[in-house]
Amino acid sequence: MRASTAEQTQTGGRVLLCLASWAIPGAGHLWLGRRSKGLVFLVALPLMFAIGLAIQGRLFPFDLSEPLVCLAALANLGIGLPYFAAAAFGYGSGEVRAVTYEYGNSFLIVAGLLNLLVIIDAYDVALGRK
C-alpha cells in the first residue's frame, strides 16, 4: 500500500518541524504558533545549558567503551545547535576538581533531555493530539 502525496508532504513537514525543534529549542512551538511556550523554551533551555557550562560542566565524549559516558554524550547532544557552538568554541571541558562540576553536568544533561521532550511535544501538537 502506497502513501498518498499529501500524507508524504505532511510527514516531510513533521520531520522538518522535529529537526528545527532539535536544532533550536522552542522553534517547533514557534513554528506551530504557540508563541508563549516557544519563547519560554527558547530562553530557558539554552540558559540551562549555558549555566551548566558556566559552572564547569563537561560535554561528554562519545566513548562506546563506557556506556554511561556515551548516554551522557547523547543527552548533551539533545540540545541541538548550542551543543555544537559550545564544542566549537572550546567550552565544556569541565573541571573535575570544581565544587560545581556535578551540578554543571546535571544542568547540561537535563537541558538536552528536556529539549527532546519539547520535540516530542511539538510533534504531538503537529499531529493534533494536543
Side-chain angles (χ1 to χ4, degrees):
M1 183 176 266
R2 210 166 225 220
S4 69
T5 306
E7 289 174 359
Q8 289 176 350
T9 304
Q10 287 179 349
T11 303
R14 288 186 199 122
V15 169
L16 285 176
L17 174 79
C18 290
L19 286 175
S21 294
W22 169 75
I24 302 168
H29 285 82
L30 290 172
W31 183 343
L32 295 170
R34 298 196 169 204
R35 289 192 176 105
S36 59
K37 276 182 128 178
L39 289 173
V40 167
F41 296 142
L42 185 64
V43 171
L45 294 177
L47 183 62
M48 281 183 67
F49 189 77
I51 290 171
L53 292 174
I55 59 175
Q56 302 299 320
R58 175 182 177 201
L59 293 176
F60 287 93
F62 286 95
D63 185 6
L64 296 177
S65 66
E66 295 189 38
L68 293 178
V69 171
C70 191
L71 286 174
L74 283 173
N76 287 158
L77 188 61
I79 196 70
L81 290 180
Y83 171 84
F84 294 108
F89 288 114
Y91 296 119
S93 59
E95 177 61 40
V96 178
R97 293 174 288 169
V99 176
T100 57
Y101 175 74
E102 292 297 333
Y103 294 110
N105 291 340
S106 297
F107 268 83
L108 293 171
I109 290 169
V110 169
L113 293 177
L114 280 175
N115 193 41
L116 294 176
L117 289 174
V118 168
I119 295 167
I120 293 168
D121 185 58
Y123 183 76
D124 282 344
V125 170
L127 284 179
R129 292 186 205 169
K130 286 185 142 189

